[in-house]
Amino acid sequence: MLAKQLTVFIENRAGRLSEVLSVLRENDVNILSLSLADTTEFGLLRLIVDNAAKGKEKLTENGYSSLLSNVSIIEIPHKVGSLQSLLKAIDENGVNIEYMYGLSIESDTAYVVLKASDVNGLMEVLNAHNIRVLSSEDIAKL
């Protein structure tokens, strides 16, 4: 199962992030997780939201460049070594992780958003290790 991630390209200037988030708020799009990476001139805002298609539509209407992509949101035990063990298995199967970021909703469970170059390969590894994969809708219900 894959989740939709909304990526927004924003200028790296004061107030721009707030403007983007205002568009989402005004259109009742709830942010579940986010990651912001910057360069000197622009930022990449990656979001898991409760309605990615609506978020993209409203951002486009307001002049923002964005895209939707498939990511895997996985559930792992929230304990020392869990993520490293999984990443070792993914690496051993030749799957490259392009980026990832975490979200923690429950005290004993951690969630990690992964973007892999080989989605099918990643899914095979996750299934082989009985790793629960969630959708954006699943996360919104937590």
Side-chain angles (χ1 to χ4, degrees), residues 13-142:
R13 67 171 174 82
R16 196 64 166 164
L17 177 59
S18 180
E19 293 168 8
V20 170
L21 299 184
S22 291
V23 170
L24 298 176
R25 183 192 71 231
E26 291 164 4
N27 289 282
D28 201 31
V29 176
N30 190 33
I31 298 168
L32 306 171
S33 182
L34 68 82
S35 170
L36 179 62
D38 71 328
T39 66
T40 54
E41 296 186 20
F42 68 93
L44 286 176
L45 175 62
R46 293 182 173 113
L47 303 152
I48 303 298
V49 297
D50 63 349
N51 189 334
K54 181 180 179 183
K56 179 175 179 11
E57 174 188 342
K58 296 304 179 183
L59 288 166
T60 299
E61 287 175 6
N62 284 273
Y64 295 98
S65 178
S66 63
L67 63 90
L68 293 178
S69 56
N70 291 322
V71 294
S72 301
I73 302 174
I74 62 169
E75 179 182 291
I76 58 175
H78 197 185
K79 62 181 187 178
V80 173
S82 295
L83 179 59
Q84 191 281 326
S85 295
L86 175 60
L87 291 176
K88 183 175 185 233
I90 291 169
D91 182 50
E92 289 171 352
N93 283 272
V95 177
N96 179 48
I97 300 299
E98 296 176 9
Y99 59 83
M100 64 186 215
Y101 51 98
L103 57 139
S104 183
I105 298 170
E106 301 170 347
S107 61
D108 61 345
T109 304
Y111 299 88
V112 178
V113 179
L114 300 173
K115 174 71 166 107
S117 57
D118 178 3
V119 174
N120 292 330
L122 175 63
M123 295 308 289
E124 287 176 16
V125 175
L126 298 175
N127 288 333
H129 288 82
N130 296 316
I131 300 295
R132 181 178 174 209
V133 181
L134 297 92
S135 68
S136 302
E137 292 80 14
D138 294 331
I139 291 292
K141 293 175 186 174
L142 295 177

